[in-house]
């Protein structure tokens, strides 16, 4: 059989990044080798043996599939597919793929925290500058680094001396409050990785431990055990005590009066007289220095505790009450708390509950019942003043579903309802009065002084023809000014009678051949001059309305505020007498129109005459 070298070899796929901890299958394909070649997989010079080879039908192509799980340590290493013809020496071909491994949440970035390389923990002391370095191994690269102190995330505060710088944490002029455990947290798209912790310790002078009992109530000839405890580094400390009262100066206490061990010192103190009550001071000292502020313990004569305050019912149900209070001074001795519950109706004690803290829960009470509650504190010297409050339980569920909610009207609500009702009543009365006065006002207006007098003047005969349109306009006759309108109707009637007589006489003279035109015009001008000579009120205007033979009427009205307006209407219901062509047409000058003459009689030709037996008819209406 003919032997041949492999012609090609390659790893299939896009060679994308892989995540640590996940299983992947890779395929390697080779062509041209005769006989079938041996395919081997290597990861960083270490052979992977869990592969499976397949030969094509024509015996020319060999495919090998390998399964593996990358880890974070495989990032950057090469995965190699090697092909070798076993019958030919040196007939070897290979291809490699450099792994790009990403960490996912089950395998987060690897972070390591170290103290600054120039720092030694044992030599650090209060007031020094300290920094930490966080070393991170992550792919993809970590985009953020956070810092934790005692399990809580730190915030950068330059004023407080806490500074973040890249992957470093700087603490300037450290204080005792900076002592504790620190970690760093690296973050990338695959997850978060938290580093190991470093417990920062540095040397500092002793300080008082928080939470110590600072007030002691002691009776005369009674022994009190007073404990002083500090925090310090190094831990080897020495103590001293002193006493100060209002009756004496500062006094040191001999070491034989107290005992010390580690970071704690205990004194057995027994007051004998009034001068033995005051303040005890405790100091500690180590290699760094002496405690700046001593621990202060006040010794007072023992007595009953103070009263509780701010007691409230936090919750109540059908059969239970929950009450909480704030305790007062304990009198220098251990105190306890008692709550007594009385039925408001029966005036009897229902419950008596005691507790070491002023928090009480009372159950199995009667539903829908009022209670009086008394709470007080007590110690070996007696009891304090009672704190009283009232409460009640809710009605049972059956009663609440059957009872209707009642609205309680408070005095303020009653006053508001009364005010609103009074306002509504006043508004209704005003509306009723206005409606009752409205018809009277309308009636008064219809019967008042604003009346329009209409009157018609009927000539003896009607005209057959009337062609001049200007004579449709009314003559405005100004009324007399008497100064006072005592009787408007009487003055209007008098004025109308004078006007009717003059118009009738003028029209009769114009139709009579024996009367010349000069006399007619004189009469008309006399009427005009008389009206002009009379003083007129600015708001009193009289209108004359002429009715023409063709039953066309022209009228105008001027409304005024207080004074009446008088309208005159002349009704020409009969035919006019014959007038010759040579006769002049009598005219009258309209008072409201400057230099304008209007004819009062139209030339209708001959053959017509007035009926002397028909007197003029006059009607008037006043507005």
């Amino acid at each position: 059989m003919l032997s041949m070298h492999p012609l090609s070899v390659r790893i299939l796929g896009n060679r994308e990044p892989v995540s640590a901890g996940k299983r992947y299958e890779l395929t390697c394909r080779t062509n041209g080798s005769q006989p079938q070649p041996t395919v081997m997989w290597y990861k960083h010079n270490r052979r992977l043996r869990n592969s499976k080879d397949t030969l094509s039908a024509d015996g020319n192509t060999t495919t090998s599939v390998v399964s593996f799980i990358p880890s974070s340590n495989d990032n950057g290493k090469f995965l190699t597919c090697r092909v070798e013809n076993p019958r030919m020496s040196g007939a070897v071909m290979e291809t490699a793929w450099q792994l790009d491994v990403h960490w996912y949440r089950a395998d987060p970035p690897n972070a390591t925290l170290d103290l600054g390389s120039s720092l030694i923990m044992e030599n650090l002391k209060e007031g020094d500058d300290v920094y930490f370095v966080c070393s991170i191994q992550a792919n993809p690269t970590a985009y953020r680094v956070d810092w934790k102190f005692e399990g809580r995330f730190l915030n950068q505060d330059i004023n407080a001396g806490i500074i973040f710088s890249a992957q470093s944490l700087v603490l300037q002029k450290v204080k005792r409050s900076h002592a504790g455990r620190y970690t760093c947290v690296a973050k990338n798209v695959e997850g978060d990785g938290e580093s190991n912790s470093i417990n920062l310790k540095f040397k500092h002078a002793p300080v008082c431990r928080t939470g110590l009992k600072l007030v002691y109530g002691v009776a005369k000839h009674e022994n009190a055990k007073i404990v002083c405890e500090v925090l310090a580094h190094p831990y080897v400390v020495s103590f001293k005590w002193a006493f100060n009262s209002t009756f004496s100066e500062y006094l040191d206490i001999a070491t034989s009066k107290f005992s010390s061990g580690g970071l704690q010192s205990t004194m057995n103190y027994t007051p004998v007289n009034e001068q033995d009550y005051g303040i005890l001071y405790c100091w500690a000292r180590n290699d760094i220095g002496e405690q700046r502020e001593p621990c202060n313990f006040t010794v007072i004569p023992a007595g009953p505790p103070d009263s509780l305050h701010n007691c409230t019912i936090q919750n109540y149900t059908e059969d239970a009450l929950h009450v909480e209070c704030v305790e007062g001074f304990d009198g220098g001795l251990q105190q306890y708390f008692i709550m007594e519950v009385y039925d408001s109706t029966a005036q009897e004690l229902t419950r008596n509950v005691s507790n070491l803290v002023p928090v009480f829960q009372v159950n199995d009470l009667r539903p829908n019942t009022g209670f009086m509650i008394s709470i007080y504190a007590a110690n070996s010297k007696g009891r304090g003043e009672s704190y009283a409050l009232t409460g009640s339980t809710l009605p049972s569920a059956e009663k609440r579903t059957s009872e209707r909610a009642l609205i309680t009207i408070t005095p303020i609500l009653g006053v508001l309802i009364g005010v609103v009702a009074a306002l509504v009543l006043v508004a209704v009365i005003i509306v009723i009065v206005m409606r009752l006065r409205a018809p009277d006002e309308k009636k008064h207006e219809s019967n008042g002084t604003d009346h329009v007098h209409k009157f018609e003047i009927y000539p003896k005969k009607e005209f057959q023809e009337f062609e001049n349109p200007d004579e449709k306009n009314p003559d405005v006759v100004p009324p007399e000014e008497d100064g006072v309108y005592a009787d408007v109707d009487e003055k209007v009637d008098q004025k109308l009678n004078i006007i009717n007589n003059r118009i009738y006489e003028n029209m009769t003279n114009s139709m009579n051949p024996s009367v010349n035109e000069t006399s007619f015009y004189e009469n008309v001008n006399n009427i005009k001059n008389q009206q002009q000579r009379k003083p007129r009120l600015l708001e009193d205007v009289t209108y004359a309305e002429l009715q023409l033979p063709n039953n066309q009427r022209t009228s105008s009205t001027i409304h005024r505020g207080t004074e009446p307006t008088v309208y005159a209407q002349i009704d020409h219901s009969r035919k006019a007498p014959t007038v010759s062509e040579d006769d002049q047409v009598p005219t009258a000058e309209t008072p409201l129109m400057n230099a304008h003459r209007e004819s009062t009689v139209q030339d209708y030709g001959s053959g017509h005459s007035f009926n002397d037996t028909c007197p003029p008819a006059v009607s008037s209406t006043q507005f």
Side-chain angles (χ1 to χ4, degrees):
M1 172 184 268
L2 182 62
S3 298
M4 299 181 64
H5 287 273
L7 299 179
S8 65
V9 59
R10 64 190 183 95
I11 297 175
L12 304 181
N14 296 328
R15 300 192 179 187
E16 295 179 348
V18 295
S19 297
K22 292 184 179 179
R23 181 175 294 276
Y24 293 90
E25 289 186 351
L26 299 180
T27 301
C28 180
R29 182 175 293 170
T30 179
N31 296 321
S33 178
Q34 292 292 338
Q36 180 179 356
T38 301
V39 181
M40 295 170 288
W41 289 89
Y42 292 90
K43 183 178 70 172
H44 192 59
N45 299 327
R46 184 173 66 87
R47 184 174 179 179
L48 303 178
R49 299 188 178 275
N50 55 340
S51 62
K52 182 179 181 181
D53 299 340
T54 303
L55 183 64
S56 64
D58 57 4
N60 190 44
T61 302
T62 300
T63 302
S64 178
V65 179
V66 67
S67 177
F68 79 107
I69 300 174
S71 66
S72 59
N73 295 328
D74 294 333
N75 184 53
K77 295 181 179 180
F78 286 91
L79 186 67
T80 304
C81 175
R82 183 174 183 179
V83 179
E84 181 179 353
N85 192 326
R87 294 186 180 182
M88 297 181 64
S89 176
V92 178
M93 294 186 70
E94 63 181 23
T95 183
W97 173 27
Q98 188 176 13
L99 295 175
D100 184 8
V101 182
H102 289 183
W103 283 260
Y104 72 114
R105 295 186 184 278
D107 191 8
N110 185 14
T112 303
L113 182 63
D114 297 301
L115 189 64
S117 58
S118 62
L119 301 177
I120 299 175
M121 183 77 71
E122 289 74 13
N123 295 335
L124 294 177
K125 62 181 182 297
E126 188 174 8
D128 292 344
D129 293 339
V130 178
Y131 69 95
F132 297 93
V133 177
C134 184
S135 302
I136 302 172
Q137 294 180 354
N139 188 26
T141 305
Y143 62 84
R144 179 172 177 176
V145 178
D146 291 331
W147 296 88
K148 285 185 176 182
F149 173 65
E150 295 293 341
R152 299 185 300 272
F153 282 101
L154 274 175
N155 294 322
Q156 181 171 255
D157 188 350
I158 297 177
N159 295 329
I162 302 174
I163 302 172
F164 297 166
S165 176
Q167 298 180 10
S168 299
L169 170 64
V170 179
L171 302 176
Q172 295 178 333
K173 297 180 179 180
V174 294
K175 297 179 289 188
R176 187 186 59 83
S177 59
H178 292 150
R181 297 184 179 275
Y182 290 84
T183 59
C184 65
V185 180
K187 297 183 178 182
N188 65 3
V189 295
E190 295 290 342
D192 301 345
E194 187 170 356
S195 70
N196 58 299
S197 64
I198 293 181
N199 187 13
L200 177 61
K201 299 179 180 179
F202 49 87
K203 296 178 181 180
H204 62 87
V207 294
C208 288
R209 186 181 66 81
T210 59
L212 294 177
K213 183 179 179 181
L214 302 178
V215 179
Y216 290 82
V218 185
K220 292 179 181 180
H221 304 287
E222 182 182 1
N223 183 55
K225 186 177 181 180
I226 301 174
V227 179
C228 176
E229 186 176 354
V230 298
L231 300 175
H233 184 68
Y235 303 117
V236 179
V237 296
S238 59
F239 290 90
K240 71 174 183 177
W241 289 77
F243 178 76
N244 186 18
S245 70
T246 57
F247 301 97
S248 62
E249 298 179 355
Y250 177 84
L251 298 175
D252 290 330
I253 299 177
T255 56
S256 59
K257 300 292 183 178
F258 60 87
S259 61
S260 301
L263 299 175
Q264 180 175 305
S265 178
T266 305
M267 170 176 284
N268 293 317
Y269 187 77
T270 305
V272 177
N273 51 44
E274 297 293 335
Q275 297 179 355
D276 294 333
Y277 292 100
I279 301 175
L280 286 169
Y281 300 99
C282 170
W283 286 272
R285 184 183 183 88
N286 62 4
D287 294 341
I288 302 300
E290 189 177 66
Q291 185 175 342
R292 295 179 181 176
E293 297 292 336
C295 303
N296 301 331
F297 303 94
T298 303
V299 181
I300 62 173
D306 290 346
S307 173
L308 298 169
H309 54 277
N310 292 342
C311 293
T312 56
I313 299 177
Q314 298 292 335
N315 190 23
Y316 58 95
T317 61
E318 297 178 3
D319 59 352
L321 293 174
H322 182 82
V323 182
E324 294 184 5
C325 300
V326 177
E327 64 182 67
F329 175 61
D330 59 4
L333 301 172
Q334 178 67 37
Q335 64 178 346
Y336 55 95
F337 307 94
I338 299 173
M339 182 175 75
E340 298 174 350
V341 181
Y342 295 87
D343 191 321
S344 299
T345 304
Q347 297 293 323
E348 60 181 13
L349 180 63
T350 303
R351 294 288 187 276
N352 189 328
V353 183
S354 62
N355 199 1
L356 294 178
V357 292
V359 178
F360 305 94
Q361 176 74 27
V362 183
N363 299 317
D364 300 328
L365 299 175
R366 288 193 304 172
N368 196 23
T369 303
F371 296 95
M372 295 182 297
I373 302 172
S374 177
I375 308 172
Y376 58 90
N379 60 16
S380 59
K381 298 298 181 181
R383 53 175 286 181
E385 295 181 2
S386 298
Y387 189 104
L389 71 160
T390 59
S392 62
T393 53
L394 294 174
S396 60
E398 294 80 4
K399 292 183 178 181
R400 288 203 304 269
T401 55
S402 60
E403 293 179 353
R404 295 183 178 179
L406 298 178
I407 300 177
T408 302
I409 299 178
T410 61
I412 296 177
L413 182 59
V415 171
L416 292 177
I417 293 174
V419 171
V420 172
L423 293 175
V424 172
L425 181 60
V426 170
V428 171
I429 293 173
I430 292 174
V431 171
I432 293 174
V433 170
M434 292 179 66
R435 288 186 175 274
L436 292 177
R437 292 181 59 184
D440 295 339
E441 292 179 357
K442 292 181 179 179
K443 183 176 179 181
H444 178 69
E445 291 177 358
S446 62
N447 296 331
T449 59
D450 289 341
H451 299 285
V452 177
H453 294 270
K454 294 183 180 179
F455 58 90
E456 296 181 355
I457 300 175
Y458 298 93
K460 293 181 179 179
K461 292 184 180 181
E462 294 181 351
F463 295 120
Q464 287 182 348
E465 201 175 342
F466 194 80
E467 297 179 354
N468 190 356
D470 292 335
E471 292 193 348
K472 297 180 181 181
N473 295 329
D475 290 337
V476 180
V477 181
E480 278 189 58
E481 181 179 354
D482 295 334
V484 178
Y485 290 94
D487 191 353
V488 177
D489 293 336
E490 182 178 356
K491 293 180 179 296
V492 171
D493 292 339
Q494 292 175 2
K495 188 180 295 295
L496 292 177
N497 290 333
I498 295 171
I499 293 173
N500 290 337
N501 293 332
R502 290 177 179 175
I503 293 175
Y504 181 79
E505 291 174 0
N506 291 335
M507 294 180 66
T508 304
N509 294 332
S510 66
M511 296 297 105
N512 190 351
S514 63
V515 181
N516 54 24
E517 296 177 359
T518 303
S519 63
F520 178 80
Y521 282 108
E522 290 177 354
N523 291 331
V524 174
N525 290 330
N526 289 333
I527 296 174
K528 173 184 175 182
N529 294 331
Q530 291 177 4
Q531 297 296 331
Q532 290 179 349
R533 286 194 300 268
K534 295 179 180 180
R536 293 179 294 172
L537 293 176
L538 295 176
E539 296 183 354
D540 193 1
V541 182
T542 303
Y543 287 81
E545 203 173 286
L546 301 178
Q547 182 168 346
L548 305 180
N550 55 1
N551 294 328
Q552 295 181 355
R553 295 185 180 183
T554 302
S555 61
S556 299
T557 303
I558 295 178
H559 294 282
R560 53 189 181 77
T562 57
E563 301 300 335
T565 300
V566 180
Y567 289 84
Q569 183 175 2
I570 301 174
D571 186 10
H572 299 274
S573 61
R574 298 179 185 179
K575 295 182 179 180
T578 303
V579 181
S580 63
E581 295 179 357
D582 297 335
D583 295 335
Q584 294 289 335
V585 179
T587 62
E589 189 171 302
T590 304
L592 297 180
M593 301 177 65
N594 296 329
H596 180 69
R597 290 180 178 271
E598 293 184 358
S599 62
T600 57
V601 180
Q602 180 70 32
D603 184 5
Y604 291 92
S606 60
H608 299 278
S609 63
F610 284 102
N611 186 1
D612 297 333
T613 63
C614 183
V618 179
S619 64
S620 64
T621 304
Q622 182 177 1
F623 288 89

